[in-house]
Amino acid sequence: MVRTGSASVAAGPTLAVVAREAGVSVPTASKVVNGREDVAPETRRRVTEALDRLGYVRRPRFDAAKASGMVDLVVHSLETSWSGAVLHGVEAAAHDAGLEVVVSAGLTRNRAGRPDRGWMDKLTARGSSGVLFNLAELTSSQYGWLDQHRIPYVLIDPVLEPPPGVVSVGAANWQGGVTATEHLLALGHERIGVVAGHQRKMCSSARVAGYRSALAAAGIRQRPEYVRHAGFDESAAHRRTLELLDLPEPPTAVFVCSDHMALGVYEALAERGLRVPDDISVVGFDDLPEARWTTPALTTVRQPLSEMAATALRLLVRMMEGDRPESTRTELSTRLVQRASTAPPRD
């Protein structure tokens, strides 16, 4: 079932109750709810905390019949080529659908890391017809807010397992991990390390699970010390690679769970005077532009980011029209792109 809101929602606290809880006037609380700028930061904080604590539901709720021809795209960051690929896919699909796109970066949480209501209030104020979330970590209260307002939404590559019924689009991460590992096994590598992302994130855990499955299928003993988590951070990947190289029996190949982290892996190998692929083979994941710019060019698993984003937009359009997708989870295929960073191990 698609989570687009329930037909009847229990009445929440009034704005007067929120104002009393926050110690402000009702007009001041109303300004915060409606995204007005003429409110002191401390006052805004108290009202926002009261809104979250009391579970206030902003009205009027989303009305598909009166919705605008505009959708929101909330991305984790605008500073990466990953985001560029997602933007490209959403923009192309939105153009075909005759929609405009409002892009927001990193607005689901505030600077303190707490859930931020500001983007939700602005979303309602401008009357967007739906929302796409890319790599967003939504809280249960944020999911509830979207459902209560009956705002259609789709997750692109969700960070965590979404609640039942939430529509999401991602890549076949487990199969990608299998493909990367099988490629290295076919070259003759048996000592294969992994520089993974966050342990708790869906995509990273699936890629590592695929790696382990491929090793098991090949009858290769899994070594726990060969799996290092770097949180999708280039500097951390650099450190984790040095740890792998310091093992008594270091790996002859490394599967890196993102092309961005592979840059840190390359740097660590160069520091130790090791050549890719002569001394050690490297496989990445994503097929971002950086994969082609490295020397040597990076063999990697391609996940179709633009296609994922376009698919999510098309699903969102269906939901805006009252249709329910047959499945809440859509996975697009990954494939290996062979370049120059892998070779058989040295004797």
Side-chain angles (χ1 to χ4, degrees), residues 3-139:
R3 287 171 66 101
T4 56
S6 103
S8 61
V9 180
T14 65
L15 195 57
V17 172
V18 173
R20 184 167 60 250
E21 176 78 9
V24 301
S25 66
V26 173
T28 297
S30 178
K31 288 181 180 180
V32 174
V33 168
N34 289 290
R36 293 272 296 276
E37 301 295 333
D38 52 337
V39 180
E42 175 60 22
T43 301
R44 184 181 299 278
R45 181 190 65 78
R46 295 204 315 272
V47 174
T48 299
E49 289 180 353
L51 290 167
D52 289 335
R53 187 163 57 249
L54 297 173
Y56 177 79
V57 178
R58 190 184 187 280
R59 296 172 176 81
R61 295 177 185 166
F62 176 83
D63 184 348
K66 299 178 181 178
S68 67
M70 179 170 59
V71 297
D72 273 57
L73 170 63
V74 181
V75 297
H76 177 69
S77 168
L78 288 172
E79 299 176 352
T80 65
S81 53
W82 167 289
S83 297
V86 169
L87 282 169
H88 175 75
V90 170
E91 180 185 31
H95 176 77
D96 292 341
L99 296 170
E100 296 182 355
V101 180
V102 176
V103 181
S104 304
L107 296 184
T108 56
R109 293 181 179 270
N110 59 27
R111 293 182 179 179
R114 296 179 178 178
D116 188 356
R117 287 187 59 95
W119 64 269
M120 296 189 289
D121 294 332
K122 292 178 181 177
L123 172 71
T124 306
R126 61 176 165 259
S128 292
S129 300
V131 193
L132 296 173
F133 294 100
N134 179 224
L135 294 176
E137 295 186 59
L138 299 181
T139 64

Side-chain angles (χ1 to χ4, degrees), residues 49-235:
E49 289 180 353
L51 290 167
D52 289 335
R53 187 163 57 249
L54 297 173
Y56 177 79
V57 178
R58 190 184 187 280
R59 296 172 176 81
R61 295 177 185 166
F62 176 83
D63 184 348
K66 299 178 181 178
S68 67
M70 179 170 59
V71 297
D72 273 57
L73 170 63
V74 181
V75 297
H76 177 69
S77 168
L78 288 172
E79 299 176 352
T80 65
S81 53
W82 167 289
S83 297
V86 169
L87 282 169
H88 175 75
V90 170
E91 180 185 31
H95 176 77
D96 292 341
L99 296 170
E100 296 182 355
V101 180
V102 176
V103 181
S104 304
L107 296 184
T108 56
R109 293 181 179 270
N110 59 27
R111 293 182 179 179
R114 296 179 178 178
D116 188 356
R117 287 187 59 95
W119 64 269
M120 296 189 289
D121 294 332
K122 292 178 181 177
L123 172 71
T124 306
R126 61 176 165 259
S128 292
S129 300
V131 193
L132 296 173
F133 294 100
N134 179 224
L135 294 176
E137 295 186 59
L138 299 181
T139 64
S140 58
S141 63
Q142 288 170 335
Y143 280 120
W145 185 93
L146 289 162
D147 288 345
Q148 288 172 333
H149 286 71
R150 302 189 183 96
I151 299 177
Y153 60 95
V154 177
L155 309 184
I156 304 171
D157 200 16
V159 173
L160 305 176
E161 184 75 34
V166 172
V167 177
S168 66
V169 178
N173 290 294
W174 180 86
Q175 185 58 53
V178 170
T179 301
T181 309
E182 286 180 342
H183 170 66
L184 294 170
L185 290 168
L187 290 172
H189 294 277
E190 295 187 0
R191 299 186 346 237
I192 303 171
V194 175
V195 177
H198 295 279
Q199 268 184 293
R200 67 188 185 93
K201 291 192 174 182
M202 284 179 61
C203 63
S204 179
S205 60
R207 292 167 196 176
V208 174
Y211 152 83
R212 289 179 170 139
S213 294
L215 289 182
I220 304 297
R221 179 174 65 90
Q222 299 177 42
R223 305 191 188 199
E225 69 272 20
Y226 275 7
V227 179
R228 305 283 167 151
H229 293 273
F232 293 111
D233 179 76
E234 181 180 343
S235 297

Side-chain angles (χ1 to χ4, degrees), residues 275-287:
R275 295 171 297 171
V276 178
D278 297 343
D279 300 311
I280 189 165
S281 289
V282 181
V283 177
F285 202 109
D286 289 330
D287 195 27

